[in-house]
């Protein structure tokens, strides 16, 4: 039987032991590309304690949590999930901030891999914008939906697809917009390849077996920067 100390665990987390805060902490660390050791060095905590917070139920004191939040360039409220139902962008604006245009290579790099974006389509009821889990397939963007659902109206139409990231803690962020004609993916081998490429099932759940793929004809983006950035 493996042993667990107050500062770490020799076994991986179970779905029942890992807390929401632990998941947020790990997700933010990975988003910044940091190791546990680097977070520990930034915060003054032990790497094994960072691991413990990520993997086990814990109630760290306020000072420690503030140090770890600062090391992860976020806030205690974000790590604790206190802002989960609030729209992003509540932080105060940077003084003399501006917008920097991103070139296409930067845009594609920011939205590469997979994540959650928004698709803008024209439906029989009018324009609509809805979130979708997406995956990048070479130069194309693909997502799963079902017939009759709003994203399905993208097939055969020119649509807009947006991905962004807002960092309330530092009042910064970026936005990438891809525009092009979408199409339904019907070839069996292509459907199988996209399904294998997707790391997760759609967050919305349900049976979603229609793949829609967008080949952007235009990709643009902007980033919020400080005056001296």
């Amino acid at each position: 039987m493996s042993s667990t100390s107050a500062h770490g665990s020799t076994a991986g987390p179970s779905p029942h032991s890992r807390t929401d805060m632990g998941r947020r902490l790990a997700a933010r660390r990975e988003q910044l590309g940091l190791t546990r050791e680097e977070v520990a060095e930034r915060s003054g905590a032990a790497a094994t304690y960072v691991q413990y917070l990520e993997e086990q139920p814990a109630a760290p004191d306020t000072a420690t949590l503030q140090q770890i939040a600062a090391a992860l360039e976020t806030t205690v409220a974000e790590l604790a999930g206190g802002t989960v139902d609030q729209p992003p962008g509540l932080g105060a604006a940077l003084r003399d901030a501006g917008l920097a245009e991103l070139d296409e290579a930067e845009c594609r790099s920011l939205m590469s891999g997979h994540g959650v974006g928004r698709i803008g389509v024209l439906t029989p009821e009018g324009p609509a914008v809805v979130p979708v889990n997406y995956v990048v397939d070479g130069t194309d963007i693909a997502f799963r939906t079902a017939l009759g659902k709003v994203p399905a109206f993208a097939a055969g139409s020119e649509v807009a697809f947006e991905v962004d990231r807002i960092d309330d803690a530092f009042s910064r962020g970026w936005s990438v917009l891809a525009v092009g004609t979408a199409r339904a993916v019907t070839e069996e081998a292509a459907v199988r390849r996209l399904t294998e490429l997707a790391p997760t099932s759609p967050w919305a759940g349900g049976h979603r077996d229609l793949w829609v793929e967008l080949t952007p004809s235009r990709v643009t983006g902007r980033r919020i920067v400080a005056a001296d950035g």
Side-chain angles (χ1 to χ4, degrees):
M1 180 181 296
S2 60
S3 61
T4 302
S5 71
H7 296 290
S9 171
T10 58
S14 74
H16 303 290
S17 65
R18 198 172 194 184
T19 64
D20 287 346
M21 186 183 72
R23 284 192 290 270
R24 292 190 182 93
L25 197 159
R28 179 59 176 167
R29 176 177 60 78
E30 291 164 4
Q31 183 181 60
L32 295 175
L34 298 174
T35 64
R36 287 167 175 160
E37 288 73 19
E38 288 169 329
V39 173
E41 185 177 352
R42 286 184 174 196
S43 65
T48 51
Y49 188 61
V50 175
Q51 178 183 2
Y52 176 71
L53 291 179
E54 288 185 5
E55 296 182 353
Q56 302 295 332
D61 61 79
T62 302
T64 299
L65 195 53
Q66 287 175 335
Q67 290 172 330
I68 290 175
L72 293 170
E73 301 178 11
T74 188
T75 63
V76 172
E78 287 282 353
L79 290 181
T83 61
V84 69
D85 288 325
Q86 298 175 346
L90 297 176
L94 293 172
R95 178 174 296 180
D96 299 322
L99 289 174
E101 298 292 329
L102 303 175
D103 61 32
E104 184 171 340
E106 290 177 291
C107 291
R108 289 188 178 276
S109 175
L110 287 169
M111 67 177 180
S112 65
H114 67 280
V116 175
R118 284 176 292 279
I119 189 79
V121 300
L122 186 61
T123 75
E125 286 74 37
V129 179
V130 292
V132 292
N133 292 87
Y134 75 93
V135 62
V136 173
D137 179 25
T139 58
D140 296 337
I141 300 162
F143 59 89
R144 268 183 290 192
T145 185
L147 286 174
K149 299 297 184 182
V150 170
F153 288 101
S157 305
E158 185 177 41
V159 298
F161 179 80
E162 184 188 45
V163 180
D164 57 34
R165 167 63 185 166
I166 303 299
D167 188 337
D168 270 316
F170 284 78
S171 302
R172 62 190 182 192
W174 54 263
S175 174
V176 170
L177 179 69
V179 176
T181 300
R183 62 190 178 279
V185 181
T186 57
E187 204 274 317
E188 216 173 288
V191 170
R192 185 166 55 250
R193 180 173 52 78
L194 287 172
T195 302
E196 292 172 351
L197 186 63
T200 60
S201 299
W203 285 5
H207 190 58
R208 299 171 187 270
D209 57 359
L210 172 63
W211 276 99
V212 177
E213 198 162 49
L214 167 68
T215 301
S217 58
R218 176 165 54 92
V219 180
T220 58
R222 298 184 297 178
R223 184 191 296 276
I224 299 170
V225 294
D228 57 357

